[in-house]
């Protein structure tokens, strides 16, 4: 949402997919970490860093561009 974000606030990231068939699940990653930090279509970032999602369907997965949370 619009408005000022101040230190200590959480930021919700949302991953959308227009795949056919639709994505069945979503995983969230922080760059330079090998394990997922979240799952689902939205993710609350409680710390700074660069985050991206992967959308998965029965045919494979696709990674989003990373976004920076400061």
């Amino acid at each position: 949402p619009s408005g000022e974000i101040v230190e200590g606030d959480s930021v919700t990231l949302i991953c959308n997919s227009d795949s056919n068939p639709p994505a069945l699940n979503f995983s969230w990653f922080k760059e330079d970490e090998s394990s997922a930090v979240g799952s689902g279509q939205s993710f609350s970032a409680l710390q700074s860093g660069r985050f991206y999602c992967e959308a998965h369907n029965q045919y494979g997965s696709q990674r989003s561009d990373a976004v920076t949370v400061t």
Side-chain angles (χ1 to χ4, degrees):
S2 61
E4 184 178 356
I5 303 297
V6 297
E7 186 174 357
D9 287 349
S10 67
V11 175
T12 300
L13 306 177
I14 299 172
C15 190
N16 292 311
S17 170
D18 62 358
S19 63
N20 186 13
L24 300 174
N25 53 56
F26 299 85
S27 300
W28 290 90
F29 295 87
K30 186 175 181 182
E31 279 192 343
D32 302 325
E33 291 188 18
S34 58
S35 300
V37 295
S39 62
Q41 202 165 359
S42 64
F43 170 71
S44 291
L46 302 174
Q47 57 182 311
S48 61
R50 289 181 52 79
F51 297 90
Y52 64 91
C53 73
E54 283 186 357
H56 307 262
N57 67 16
Q58 62 261 46
Y59 296 109
S61 63
Q62 183 68 44
R63 174 182 161 167
S64 72
D65 292 335
V67 295
T68 301
V69 175
T70 55

